[in-house]
Amino acid sequence: MLSHLVSALAIPALVSAATVTYSVPAAAPTTAATLDVAPVAISIEFFTWPSYMTNVTATTQCLSNFEALTGEWPAIRIGGTTQDRADYNPSTSAYVVYSTSSATGVPTILTYGPSFIDLAAAYKGRVTMGLNRGHNNITNTILAAKYSKSKMTNLYAIEAGNEPEYWSGATAAADAQAQDDWAIRIGQAISTTDIMEEGNSLSPPPTWGAAELIATENSTVTPYVKTFSHHAYPGGDTTTLMEHSLTVSKMAVFKADIAAATTAGKQYVFGETNSVSGGGAASVSPTYSSAIWTLDYALYATTLNAKRLYFHHGTLGACEYCWFGRYTMGASYYGAYAASAAMASGSKIVMLDAGTTNYATYIVYGSTGAPLRAVLINTDFYSGSGTRGSEVFKLTGFSTTSVKAKRLTAAASTSRVDEGASPTFGGQEFENGSCVKTGTEAYETTTVSSGAANFTVNASEALIVYF
C-alpha cells in the first residue's frame, strides 16, 4: 500500500486507474545512455548575466540547491541574441554598458568589460562563454577569448555566435565554413584545443546541425571542437507541452544529429532551451504543466545521449519561463529540481516505455550498474476540478520488501506559484524570493511482493522511486 501523501493539497476523487507493467533490468542495458554529472544546466541571456548574479537574491540559492543534489554546481552558458550585439571593451570598469527604452527592453548594442568575465570566473561551476561572431570582428572576439582564458579556470567552452541562421544573407554552407575558421583562429590565439562549442542554431537539423558541421571538418579544425550545441523550444499549450508522446516525437529530429556528434567523439548539448521561445508564453510557461514537461524532457533528452540541457533565462521582468528572477518562483523549477534529484550520482539512464502514450518510465543506474531510481510520470492533463485520473505503474525486479518514493504534485496542471498554488516535491516547496527549501520532506512507502510493486501516479504527477 502507498502511504498517505503528506501535502496541504486536497486530493480529488480518482478515475479508476489502468496499469502499465515493466520489468526493471537488473543491470543497465547496452542501449542505456551515459549521464553527465549534472545534466540540468542554465543558460543566461548575455546582457542580463551581471544582474542575475548581483541583483537577483534567489540565483545563488537556486543553483546551490542543485549542487546539494549532484555535488556539482550547474553548468552555465552565458549567451543568446545579445551576445552578437556585444563588443568587448577592455578599458571599461562596468560589467556591461547599454541603454534601452524601457526597464524590460533588450539592447540593440552593448559593450562589456573585464569585470563581466571576472564575474563568470568567480562562479563555482563550468561556464560556456558566448562571444560575438555576428559583428564579424574576430579581432575583438579574440581579445575577449584571451581574457576569458587567462581568468577563467572554470572556462568549459567558447561559443562563437548565436543562431546564425537568422543573420542577414546567412546560408548553412557558408556558416559552417565560418564556424570552422573561427574555431581554428580562436583556438590558436588562446593556444587551447577542445574549447569551441559549434552549432548553436535553432532551425532544426539536418540543414543547421552537428552532422552538417562535422561533414565540413578536417583534422585541422576537429581538435579545437569540444561540443556541438543546438537550441530547442518545443512550444505548446498547457495540455500539449507536457504530453510524453509529443515530447518523444518532437525530439526525433535530433536523434541523427546526436548520433553524429557521439560517433565523432564530441558531446552534444541543448545549449539554449525552454518551453516556448521568446521568453515563454504567459499562459503556459509559468504553469505546473511546464514543470512536468521539464522533468520528462530533461530525462528523455539524456536517454538520447544529450549531455546537458541549458534552460534559458532571459530579460528580467519579462521572462515567463524563468525559474527565478521573476516576481515569484517559476513552477518549472520544481520539474528541473526533480530531474536533478532523479539523475544525481547516476551513471546510465534508459527509458522503458515506447514513447507512444502519456506515461513515461525511466530507470537511472548507479556506478555499480545496479538500478538507482525509477521515474514514473503521468502527463495527462488535470484542470483542477472534477475527477482526477491516475495510472498504476507496476514494476518488477525489486529485491527488497519495500521501497520509498518522493512525489512531484500540484493542485492542477494550470497551477501557478504567482497565483498561490505552488507545486511540492516530496512535500516541500521553494520560498519565493530566496529559493530556500521549506516544509518537511515526505517519502511514501510501497510494499514489494514477490519482487513487484504497484505505484499510483495521478494525472500531472511524477514519482521518483528509490531502489
Side-chain angles (χ1 to χ4, degrees):
M1 293 286 291
L2 286 174
S3 65
H4 180 68
L5 172 62
V6 180
S7 174
L9 299 174
I11 304 300
L14 302 178
V15 172
S16 179
T19 301
V20 292
T21 303
Y22 297 103
S23 176
V24 177
T30 57
T31 55
T34 301
L35 286 169
D36 184 74
V37 64
V40 176
I42 307 288
S43 169
I44 297 180
E45 182 62 41
F46 192 91
F47 87 99
T48 65
W49 162 246
S51 288
Y52 271 103
M53 299 308 292
T54 63
N55 297 328
V56 178
T57 302
T59 300
T60 299
Q61 183 63 50
C62 281
L63 297 179
S64 71
N65 291 340
F66 291 112
E67 187 273 337
L69 292 171
T70 66
E72 180 158 323
W73 288 77
I76 285 180
R77 171 259 190 173
I78 304 169
T81 301
T82 54
Q83 84 182 65
D84 283 314
R85 301 174 181 176
D87 292 317
Y88 179 60
N89 180 358
S91 299
T92 184
S93 60
Y95 289 122
V96 62
V97 179
Y98 63 87
S99 61
T100 58
S101 58
S102 68
T104 57
V106 177
T108 57
I109 190 167
L110 58 148
T111 58
Y112 64 103
S115 59
F116 183 101
I117 296 169
D118 292 342
L119 189 62
Y123 182 63
K124 298 176 183 178
R126 296 169 287 179
V127 176
T128 295
M129 180 64 74
L131 299 179
N132 193 331
R133 186 162 61 88
H135 284 176
N136 198 30
N137 185 348
I138 196 167
T139 300
N140 185 260
T141 296
I142 284 175
L143 272 180
K146 284 182 173 180
Y147 189 79
S148 297
K149 177 62 181 175
S150 69
K151 291 292 185 177
M152 296 176 63
T153 58
N154 58 347
L155 180 63
Y156 185 78
I158 291 172
E159 172 189 298
N162 174 81
E163 298 178 4
E165 68 268 39
Y166 297 115
W167 300 347
S168 177
T171 66
D175 184 70
Q177 184 177 6
Q179 288 207 43
D180 293 343
D181 179 57
W182 279 55
I184 295 168
R185 294 171 70 181
I186 292 172
Q188 289 178 343
I190 63 175
S191 302
T192 306
T193 57
D194 199 33
I195 190 65
M196 300 302 297
E197 180 161 286
E198 288 208 329
N200 314 306
S201 296
L202 178 60
S203 297
T207 305
W208 295 88
E212 178 205 36
L213 284 165
I214 290 168
T216 70
E217 293 176 351
N218 57 27
S219 59
T220 303
V221 64
T222 297
Y224 294 107
V225 179
K226 187 178 188 69
T227 56
F228 288 95
S229 166
H230 214 91
H231 298 180
Y233 290 90
D237 57 30
T238 51
T239 302
T240 60
L241 172 66
M242 67 175 173
E243 287 183 359
H244 176 58
S245 60
L246 287 179
T247 294
V248 170
S249 64
K250 288 177 180 178
M251 294 292 285
V253 70
F254 297 108
K255 286 184 177 181
D257 225 35
I258 296 172
T262 303
T263 300
K266 306 295 182 180
Q267 291 192 356
Y268 192 99
V269 302
F270 287 98
E272 182 183 316
T273 191
N274 219 308
S275 54
V276 183
S277 62
S283 61
V284 180
S285 300
T287 69
Y288 171 65
S289 65
S290 187
I292 292 293
W293 167 77
T294 299
L295 170 61
D296 188 31
Y297 172 57
L299 294 173
Y300 182 64
T302 59
T303 69
L304 300 180
N305 269 315
K307 294 304 177 186
R308 286 174 303 284
L309 298 94
Y310 293 79
F311 289 88
H312 198 52
H313 288 61
T315 307
L316 288 164
C319 184
E320 298 292 348
Y321 53 47
C322 284
W323 298 346
F324 46 86
R326 297 174 70 248
Y327 40 87
T328 188
M329 288 295 298
S332 54
Y333 181 79
Y334 288 79
Y337 184 83
S340 288
M343 293 185 283
S345 303
S347 177
K348 301 279 188 176
I349 187 171
V350 66
M351 184 177 78
L352 296 186
D353 66 278
T356 56
T357 71
N358 279 357
Y359 315 113
T361 302
Y362 300 94
I363 307 297
V364 176
Y365 290 85
S367 58
T368 65
L372 192 63
R373 301 178 193 95
V375 186
L376 315 174
I377 313 174
N378 182 338
T379 66
D380 285 340
F381 179 80
Y382 177 58
S383 68
S385 62
T387 303
R388 188 169 193 166
S390 64
E391 187 77 10
V392 175
F393 293 75
K394 182 177 181 179
L395 301 183
T396 65
F398 293 105
S399 59
T400 57
T401 57
S402 65
V403 291
K404 64 179 184 178
K406 292 177 76 170
R407 188 175 298 262
L408 175 65
T409 190
S413 304
T414 53
S415 293
R416 295 172 56 129
V417 179
D418 57 310
E419 294 176 353
S422 176
T424 59
F425 176 59
Q428 295 181 298
E429 299 180 14
F430 297 95
E431 185 177 69
N432 289 334
S434 72
C435 208
V436 171
K437 192 187 302 181
T438 63
T440 302
E441 186 176 41
Y443 286 92
E444 303 174 11
T445 301
T446 302
T447 299
V448 175
S449 177
S450 300
N454 292 338
F455 306 91
T456 299
V457 184
N458 302 330
S460 295
E461 281 191 345
L463 201 66
I464 296 180
V465 180
Y466 296 80
F467 284 78

